Amino acid sequence: DPVEVAGVFAACLAYFAGTALYVKTMIRERGDPAYRWWSVGYHAAVLPLAAWLSPALGVLFGWLLVRAWWLPTRALTPKHVGMIEIANSALLLVGIALTWA
């Protein structure tokens, strides 16, 4: 169904666009408050769309907003950031499966 495919595409696009901002905040632009607030702002803007698509995606994107706000205050290594993002990608798959399966 094209509508389902569009929803899955939108969820993945929203997730990976936010992840790019977040990872840049955590690694290359660590300590730059502007990048952190762009990341938080993006995640806050996308959260209502995700929640509209499904409660499961709303919960996931709620966590991603918390992650964008809270984790930059922690001393995480790039390895830790990557491991967290692997787990978040798996949660995205779960959210998609719960929404469109």
Side-chain angles (χ1 to χ4, degrees):
D1 177 23
V3 173
E4 288 180 4
V5 171
V8 171
F9 175 77
C12 290
L13 181 65
Y15 169 75
F16 286 111
T19 294
L21 275 172
Y22 166 74
V23 169
K24 189 156 180 114
T25 300
M26 292 298 291
I27 298 174
R28 290 188 177 218
E29 302 298 333
R30 181 182 294 268
D32 184 342
Y35 272 90
R36 179 177 179 212
W37 291 114
W38 274 106
S39 179
V40 169
Y42 173 83
H43 286 90
V46 171
L47 178 57
L49 171 65
W52 177 76
L53 288 171
S54 82
L57 291 176
V59 170
L60 170 63
F61 278 82
W63 153 244
L64 296 175
L65 175 58
V66 170
R67 170 203 69 175
W69 172 77
W70 182 59
L71 290 184
T73 66
R74 304 289 174 238
L76 299 175
T77 66
K79 178 181 177 179
H80 291 130
V81 171
M83 290 172 23
I84 291 167
E85 289 316 301
I86 289 170
N88 288 334
S89 295
L91 291 174
L92 175 65
L93 289 175
V94 170
I96 287 171
L98 290 172
T99 302
W100 287 286

